[in-house]
Amino acid sequence: MMNETLESGQQRRILWLLIVVAIAGAYLYILLVGWQLFVRGDDIPGLLDRGSTIPAVRGAILDATGHYLAVNTVQYELDITPRMLSGAQIERLVPSLAVILKRQEKDLYTEITNSNKSNYVVLGRELSAQTGRELFALEKELLNDTDKGIKFAMNAFVIAPSSSRAYPDDGIAAQVIGLINKQDVKTGLEARYDNVLSGVDGVRRNLSGQFFTRAGGYQPVQDGADLVLTIDRNIQAEAEWLLLEQAGVSETKSIRGTIVVLDSHTGAVLALASSPTFQPGRWQEWADQPKSAFINTAVSSQYEPRATFMPLTIAAALETRVISTELTYVDSGEMTLGGQKFINWDLSTRPAVTTATLTDTITTSRAVGAVYIASLMGSPRFYEMVRRFGFGEPTGIDLPSERAGDMQLPGSPNWVLAFLGFHSIGRALTVTPIQLAAAYGALANDGVLMRPYLVSEQRSGAEVTVTQPYRVRRVVSAEVAQSVTRMLAEAVAQGQSEALVPGYRFAGISSTTGKPGFDNLPRGVPTSAYIGYGPLPQNRYVVLVWFDESPPAYFGNDVAAPVFGKMVRYLMDYMGIAPDATNEVN
Amino acid sequence: MSQDRNQVPYIPNVQPYTINPTTQMEYRRLAIIAVGLVLAALAAGLYLRQASTVATYAHDIRELEVRKEKLRYEIQALRADSGRLGSLERLLAAAQQMGYHQLAASDDQNRQTVTYPLQPSSGDRGLGEEISTSAKTNQAQEANLFRRLWQRFQAWLRADPGT
């Protein structure tokens, strides 16, 4: 009886034990199946290793014709682990490496054998892609060698690739593209579009555990998008060449210069050349270059526009209907506004009293005329028009470090009425070259201001994002714009022979400008500028030439106008715009 | 030996055949263990098979990824090479080797403007006529070329499929 009770109790316990084991087994089985089939690697903390990063390839920067201006390339580093190599293997390796690395066998042999206890020896750094290909071929050959005495271990021979930035055209548009160095310092488009160019690194992580190892946690790499610029490298190269070699910085001994070529209808920048500049691929030389080489003059330098501002004053007055195109006034050579006397720059050579037209005002840069017109307009209308032309605020061009220009406005503590006179002749205010080019673009584009831009497309795989030209606002009516254009064209025909290009009609004006704080020429530090657009009547292209500190020749008509003429002639040739025989004089 | 039928016959005390409960329990246990073992073996087999398949795929994927990375680097290198080969500097050097040089935009002496349509001046009449004749000849040659191509195309259409 007692035995029966005992056996019955044992059976129950065994049964319970089996049930518990079965439940535990089923739980583990379900867990295992779940892990295998349904659970993502990322959801199991502690089982993930840190994984390895797959670096994204930085996007390339191309010009409007599809040529690479900046592109990533590959460099290789060759590491050898001598302690993993036998004498026979080293004997086999050295002659082949000497040929590929173009080094002496003896040197290589010494380098490898003398560091026998090292974990690894770096035999080459910054090796080219072609050298990398040859090394990979050698590695394959060594790994597959049938002679077991020669066959290499996988880790004995490491070819480590890394990306670096290459500039096939050796620094064309360097200021625009900007630089990128190993300390992750970026400027220009490299900085502005860094998030687009960088892409997203990929991650490869392996699940590791006591019982299983499997691939998991793979996040594909997303390479950076390519940027296609509005800049045409041929026009850009010509502009840079003009600045440096032809008649620009070296010849005039200017310390800085810039040439801007804009498509007035869209705002697309065809060339944005600045000098001095730098070689983006040769960072070893950067320390020897002046700091100004890294400043994009066209967007970050400010200067007094002076005479180049007068046509804008006239356009503003015409638009506000304060004057008509038929206006004539008596020019006595001097005028007082707000207690400040304004004098024509050529008062000593010109008759003191003449009757002048608006075209005369532009042709001979009569300060009296511009001040008189501004006084008729009054401050509110004048400054409203100045703002509408885009001064006092950045143009919004897609480059970093763009400056807005400086100007005292009514209401600010230092503003007095005399400023109205100064501003009407482009003094006591500063603008950037790109601001001025954009404002003249509005005159060329029948009064509509377009935002200048540099990137026309972003290409990420098959996805292409096209930049649409951005119309900022209508500044003046088409009639006013055309009237001022005719005056400017007349000014070119009458007095600016250096800027003339046979067969083409261009509207333009020169300026011998000054930098803030330097009033009296030639004792001050002059800057020379010429801005124009054409060919009429389409007015497609705006060209601005500006030189900073260009003594002894400092008149805009002597320094900047010839370069303008050469730039325009090249542009017309390059764009295939035939000369018009009727414009032979102009 | 006769049998006395008055006597109670000898019936041995034979117990009916019964299974000992303990033995019965062992059989059941063995069966359960056997089934458990089979299931465990099946699970282990399935797991091992799956793990090995996964490991094989992982290895293949890893190899493909390494290959892909090499190809990505190769594409980078090729893009840079294509950029270098098309660089202005190289084009200028190649042109110089061929005897050309870059003409300045302002170089009027080495510049010839051809206006279209051709309008020869009185002094250039001979040249103009020559150009005009040459243009007409070219047009006639082009017309003949198209005619010949059209005839060949029609002949090809009419030809037997095997030819």
Side-chain angles (χ1 to χ4, degrees), chain A residues 74-89:
Chain A
V74 185
Q75 291 182 327
Y76 292 94
E77 181 178 298
L78 174 63
D79 304 332
I80 298 282
T81 311
R83 64 183 168 78
M84 297 177 78
L85 297 175
S86 67
Q89 287 172 328

Side-chain angles (χ1 to χ4, degrees), chain A residues 499-548:
Chain A
L500 288 176
V501 180
Y504 301 95
R505 284 192 77 205
F506 265 74
I509 186 167
S510 68
S511 171
T512 307
T513 67
K515 290 202 292 188
F518 298 92
D519 279 342
N520 301 315
L521 298 174
R523 284 181 297 158
V525 185
T527 64
S528 311
Y530 196 97
I531 185 162
Y533 54 88
L536 271 61
Q538 288 80 16
N539 305 334
R540 184 84 196 232
Y541 305 105
V542 181
V543 178
L544 177 144
V545 178
W546 174 69
F547 293 116
D548 190 4

Side-chain angles (χ1 to χ4, degrees), chain A residues 95-307:
Chain A
S96 305
L97 279 184
V99 173
I100 295 171
L101 300 176
K102 298 181 180 62
R103 292 181 61 184
Q104 294 292 325
E105 281 186 32
K106 194 177 145 189
D107 296 345
L108 277 176
Y109 192 81
T110 310
E111 205 169 329
I112 294 172
T113 50
N114 282 359
S115 53
N116 216 13
K117 289 177 184 173
S118 304
N119 279 336
Y120 69 94
V121 179
V122 180
L123 290 182
R125 284 195 173 91
E126 298 185 0
L127 302 171
S128 69
Q130 180 55 35
T131 308
R133 285 180 203 122
E134 291 170 16
L135 287 172
F136 276 121
L138 176 65
E139 183 194 42
K140 194 174 177 184
E141 192 182 319
L142 294 173
L143 290 173
N144 296 330
D145 203 310
T146 48
D147 184 348
K148 287 187 179 174
I150 298 295
K151 189 172 179 177
F152 274 48
M154 284 291 273
N155 297 331
F157 194 86
V158 177
I159 307 163
S162 63
S163 291
S164 67
R165 211 67 167 147
Y167 303 89
D169 271 316
D170 205 17
I172 282 185
Q175 303 269 9
V176 174
I177 294 166
L179 60 85
I180 176 169
N181 66 7
K182 289 180 180 173
Q183 285 75 43
D184 214 28
V185 173
K186 302 181 188 90
T187 63
L189 291 172
E190 296 276 19
R192 173 67 178 75
Y193 287 93
D194 188 39
N195 58 339
V196 179
L197 288 164
S198 301
V200 181
D201 288 346
V203 181
R204 183 192 305 108
R205 286 177 298 199
N206 293 325
L207 281 171
S208 57
Q210 195 176 356
F211 299 108
F212 58 89
T213 297
R214 70 175 190 182
Y218 179 76
Q219 183 184 327
V221 62
Q222 192 182 332
D223 289 338
D226 292 343
L227 300 182
V228 182
L229 305 189
T230 55
I231 283 185
D232 184 309
R233 69 167 180 167
N234 296 299
I235 304 172
Q236 178 76 21
E238 180 69 13
E240 291 184 4
W241 185 59
L242 281 172
L243 279 178
L244 286 169
E245 301 292 338
Q246 182 75 356
V249 172
S250 61
E251 194 173 299
T252 61
K253 298 193 171 40
S254 302
I255 62 161
R256 284 187 296 173
T258 191
I259 294 180
V260 179
V261 182
L262 276 184
D263 182 332
S264 68
H265 294 189
T266 60
V269 180
L270 305 179
L272 196 76
S274 293
S275 179
T277 184
F278 63 96
Q279 300 289 340
R282 300 183 197 162
W283 56 269
Q284 299 90 341
E285 300 170 6
W286 291 351
D288 302 329
Q289 288 176 306
K291 281 186 180 174
S292 59
F294 299 94
I295 297 169
N296 192 327
T297 310
V299 299
S300 300
S301 290
Q302 303 181 123
Y303 70 104
E304 285 187 339
R306 298 212 177 176

Side-chain angles (χ1 to χ4, degrees), chain B residues 13 35 54 69 75 103-105 107-109 112 118 120 123 137 141-143:
Chain B
N13 187 18
V35 170
V54 166
E69 271 179 53
I75 288 168
L103 192 65
D107 187 349
D108 285 328
Q109 286 185 336
Q112 187 178 13
L118 294 167
T137 312
Q141 281 176 349
E142 279 178 14

Side-chain angles (χ1 to χ4, degrees), chain A residues 102 153 159 313 358 394 457 553:
Chain A
K102 298 181 180 62
I159 307 163
T313 300
L358 291 179
E457 284 180 17

Side-chain angles (χ1 to χ4, degrees), chain B residues 15 25-26 28 34 62 75 83 110 115 122 129 132-133 135 150:
Chain B
Q15 292 290 328
M25 190 61 212
E26 280 179 358
R28 281 184 188 163
R62 176 71 188 131
I75 288 168
N110 294 309
T115 52
S122 56
E129 283 170 358
S132 178
T133 312
W150 176 244

